[in-house]
Amino acid sequence: KDLWESLIISLKGKRVAVLGERNVGKTVLLKFLASGEVPGEYIQTVLTEKVEQKRFAMGDLKLDLKETRDVSGGHDAIEEWKTLHDEADIILYLVNAQKLNQQRIRRDLEKLESWSKAREFQPKLVVIVTHMDLDPKYVATPASGLGHFRDCFVNLNLDAGLSKLSHRPPIILGSLVNRDQAAKLVATLINTVTS
């Protein structure tokens, strides 16, 4: 109970921006936080959409999700990204493990870094790698080997973009494929941003 209370206190009033290119899970994550459910059908966000205010509950944890915006991952949405970034305390940058575009990741992270440096208060950046359920090696790796798997995955796929940052952000590997996997990812995320 004390852990959940401390999580709620540390997250209270925090503004979160969910950013990343197309098909990384931004909409799924926002909808999961708004409803506690993973949408059954993938519909790509083309134009900015409003996400209504909702209360999210996971076990004893209850979070109020204020009205927010779900923005596209396309290049033409960069100004909307900047607006969300500049309003946020926490930046979640999502990457699709199955469609890694290292050049885009590097460019996005450099942009986020430059925006953060221009602010008096720099938001906390967390990189979330989604679609790990589609990686057979990840799925077959026992819990005792996930740390080594994560290190190898990050070194091979993300280091080029991460090397451009002044501080290495926490990196979470996970999936939003179903409610259980999404809940596990969100629990890891909450522990990460509150530690």
Side-chain angles (χ1 to χ4, degrees), residues 83-188:
T83 300
L84 285 178
H85 174 279
D86 290 348
E87 295 170 352
D89 302 301
I90 301 166
I91 308 295
L92 306 180
Y93 179 71
L94 277 62
V95 175
N96 182 335
Q98 301 305 299
K99 297 181 180 179
L100 288 165
N101 179 342
Q102 292 187 0
Q103 183 178 354
R104 169 75 191 260
I105 293 168
R106 184 172 42 253
R107 192 198 76 213
D108 287 350
L109 290 175
E110 286 175 355
K111 185 73 69 180
L112 294 174
E113 174 90 356
S114 70
W115 292 340
S116 290
K117 285 183 176 179
R119 290 180 53 181
E120 182 178 337
F121 168 76
Q122 294 189 3
K124 180 172 185 145
L125 173 65
V126 178
V127 175
I128 300 175
V129 182
T130 62
H131 296 82
M132 292 305 298
D133 57 294
L134 300 175
D135 185 320
K137 288 182 182 176
Y138 176 81
V139 172
T141 301
S144 61
L146 284 176
H148 179 69
F149 177 93
R150 180 192 167 284
D151 293 346
C152 291
F153 182 91
V154 170
N155 287 339
L156 183 64
N157 299 295
L158 300 176
D159 265 354
L162 295 171
S163 67
K164 303 295 182 183
L165 303 177
S166 57
H167 301 288
R168 194 171 182 94
I171 301 163
I172 298 170
L173 304 184
S175 173
L176 297 165
V177 69
N178 58 40
R179 188 179 195 286
D180 290 342
Q181 291 294 313
K184 184 177 175 183
L185 188 146
V186 168
T188 303

Side-chain angles (χ1 to χ4, degrees), residues 8-48:
I8 291 167
I9 290 167
S10 60
L11 288 175
K12 186 174 180 140
K14 297 287 191 272
R15 294 165 296 182
V16 179
V18 181
L19 304 173
E21 67 178 306
R22 294 188 195 282
N23 196 31
V24 295
K26 299 181 303 293
T27 300
V28 173
L29 179 58
L30 286 169
K31 288 187 177 181
F32 180 75
L33 290 173
S35 68
E37 297 298 327
V38 172
E41 178 184 8
Y42 171 70
I43 300 173
Q44 197 172 73
T45 303
V46 178
L47 300 173
T48 299

Side-chain angles (χ1 to χ4, degrees), residues 4 7 58 61 182-192:
W4 288 123
L7 292 176
M58 188 170 64
L61 178 64
K184 184 177 175 183
L185 188 146
V186 168
T188 303
L189 172 61
I190 290 169
N191 285 328
T192 300

